[in-house]
Amino acid sequence: MQVLISGAAGFIGSHLVDRLLRDGHTVVGVDNFITGDWGNLAHLSGVKEFALIEMDATANDFVSRMTELGPFDLVLHLASLASPKDYLAYPLETLESGSTATRNMLEIALRYEARFLVTSTSECYGDPLEHPQTETYWGNVNPIGPRSCYDESKRYAEAITMAYHRKHGLRTNIARIFNTYGPRMKLNDGRVVPAFLSQALEGQPLTMYGDGTQTRSFCYVDDLVDGLCRLMMSEEREPVNLGNPQEITLLVFAERIQRMLGTECPLEFHPLPTDDPTRRQPDIAKAKRVLGWAPKVGLEEGLAPTVEYFQGKLAARR
Ligand SMILES: NC(=O)c1ccc[n+]([C@@H]2O[C@H](COP(=O)([O-])OP(=O)(O)OC[C@H]3O[C@@H](n4cnc5c(N)ncnc54)[C@H](O)[C@@H]3O)[C@@H](O)[C@H]2O)c1
């Protein structure tokens, strides 16, 4: 297939590009590099099945420029600010990537009658009152809080995707992704895995927001990419949770990292940011049922290559 993917130079996007190429597809990646990194795709230079275009997916001429590069069989919209640090710094760009950019990518899919997939998020559930979160839960989102630029942009992205499906019969998929980690996350990404790892590797105190009893569920990127590949070929039009249901408190997670790296860095406690969710755990029964998918990589197994990647990045910075 000929695939168009936005956000190709980001963490998940670059791993997905690798997988698509391995599976024999031809890929056009597009990225405006607001958080993306050329280095994530440097290993593909000279690969004739891959082209990388620097362009903003919200640009007025985006649809016409990208349409010229078609036809496409598959259009994947990953472009967005994704870490809280990034979307709080760029709230307007975040809203635009969920709204204008999603519409642009949908338009391209429509022109070619291509399949379309958008990466939504567990943040659609806000600070959930239901646990674990199933796809039928409508969420508990503060529509005007600081995080709303991200949460609402993704809720809008889901809504417009369903509208294109209902109005035009477009073959759409919506992935609700939960916390994912792995190599190619940025050192200064701000999310807890890169934050703890880079602090522990540098012998600095680990920054703990809140008392550490809040939970997260961490999915290794290879598992997530496999889930996305299954979803993009499925006939499931409504959202599907993709994440690892293994729930862990941040205190236990910090201990695991300390034990793994053989360090005893102290924890440095800070107040919990506004609207930070206290519990997060996907119910993946639907993904198992409709995609035959479940994560396979355990936390220690996934952390090993991630640590190795961060060690390399930190060494290169010295
Ligand atoms: N990583 C996670 O744990 C997680 C969880 C839930 C959802 N997601 C979603 O998955 C997708 C990828 O996330 P990620 O973690 O790889 O983030 P990332 O920041 O590493 O990648 C996003 C990419 O999109 C690009 N981008 C942003 N706005 C753009 C625009 N207007 N035009 C073109 N390119 C643009 C950035 O430069 C970057 O390369 C995002 O949609 C994110 O919301 C990720």
Side-chain angles (χ1 to χ4, degrees):
M1 290 187 293
Q2 171 95 357
V3 186
L4 174 67
I5 170 170
S6 70
F11 159 52
I12 296 173
S14 61
H15 284 280
L16 186 51
V17 168
D18 284 341
R19 167 72 189 261
L20 291 165
L21 291 170
R22 262 201 317 274
D23 288 351
H25 304 301
T26 302
V27 180
V28 175
V30 60
D31 206 295
N32 68 353
F33 295 95
I34 189 166
T35 57
D37 186 348
W38 289 101
N40 288 341
L41 295 168
H43 57 287
L44 297 178
S45 94
V47 171
K48 66 177 187 341
E49 291 79 15
F50 178 63
L52 181 59
I53 314 285
E54 181 170 2
M55 191 167 187
D56 194 313
T58 67
N60 287 338
D61 56 346
F62 182 77
V63 176
S64 56
R65 281 272 310 275
M66 290 302 130
T67 305
E68 282 166 20
L69 302 175
F72 296 107
D73 307 294
L74 193 55
V75 173
L76 309 174
H77 181 40
L78 280 73
S80 174
L81 284 308
S83 95
K85 189 171 162 217
D86 292 330
Y87 61 69
L88 293 173
Y90 297 102
L92 300 176
E93 290 81 355
T94 303
L95 283 158
E96 285 288 304
S97 64
S99 53
T100 311
T102 307
R103 181 158 197 173
N104 283 344
M105 293 292 280
L106 282 160
E107 276 299 314
I108 297 164
L110 188 61
R111 288 195 190 179
Y112 289 115
E113 294 180 16
R115 289 175 172 272
F116 174 88
L117 176 140
V118 63
T119 49
S120 183
T121 169
S122 57
E123 300 294 331
C124 285
Y125 301 121
D127 191 1
L129 304 176
E130 244 184 45
H131 197 79
Q133 293 83 55
T134 56
E135 291 85 349
T136 48
Y137 177 51
W138 290 355
N140 178 37
V141 173
N142 175 353
I144 56 162
R147 301 168 73 101
S148 64
C149 59
Y150 185 63
D151 304 359
E152 297 294 8
S153 86
K154 292 293 186 178
R155 287 164 72 100
Y156 178 88
E158 290 195 5
I160 193 170
T161 298
M162 290 307 294
Y164 266 71
H165 166 62
R166 293 196 179 103
K167 187 167 167 60
H168 299 296
L170 202 65
R171 287 175 296 172
T172 54
N173 301 109
I174 299 171
R176 283 200 187 136
I177 302 175
F178 285 65
N179 292 63
T180 301
Y181 71 98
R184 302 187 193 157
M185 290 189 100
K186 289 179 295 165
L187 287 174
N188 62 351
D189 176 285
R191 285 176 278 192
V192 65
V193 176
F196 280 3
L197 282 183
S198 43
Q199 287 167 338
L201 288 167
E202 296 276 70
Q204 292 165 0
L206 307 188
T207 309
M208 180 71 78
Y209 294 103
D211 62 6
T213 56
Q214 68 271 38
T215 67
R216 294 292 181 270
S217 310
F218 298 113
C219 184
Y220 187 61
V221 65
D222 287 357
D223 278 335
L224 190 264
V225 163
D226 187 50
L228 290 174
C229 289
R230 288 168 188 246
L231 181 60
M232 67 182 66
M233 297 316 294
S234 84
E235 301 310 316
E236 179 56 49
R237 304 290 161 236
E238 295 196 357
V240 178
N241 287 339
L242 292 177
N244 193 321
Q246 197 69 49
E247 190 182 17
I248 185 170
T249 68
L250 291 190
L251 280 176
V252 172
F253 182 56
E255 271 168 27
R256 290 261 181 100
I257 291 205
Q258 287 165 327
R259 206 173 55 219
M260 204 175 152
L261 299 181
T263 63
E264 287 182 11
C265 316
L267 301 182
E268 196 177 273
F269 289 88
H270 292 264
L272 204 60
T274 314
D275 298 330
D276 201 51
T278 47
R279 295 190 77 181
R280 201 31 81 65
Q281 184 191 28
D283 181 317
I284 59 163
K286 185 173 180 183
K288 281 184 181 163
R289 194 177 68 250
V290 299
L291 309 177
W293 176 87
K296 296 192 181 105
V297 181
L299 192 55
E300 260 88 20
E301 197 188 335
L303 278 175
T306 314
V307 167
E308 200 179 310
Y309 175 82
F310 277 83
Q311 280 168 329
K313 279 280 170 191
L314 287 167
R317 211 169 65 175
R318 279 184 205 117

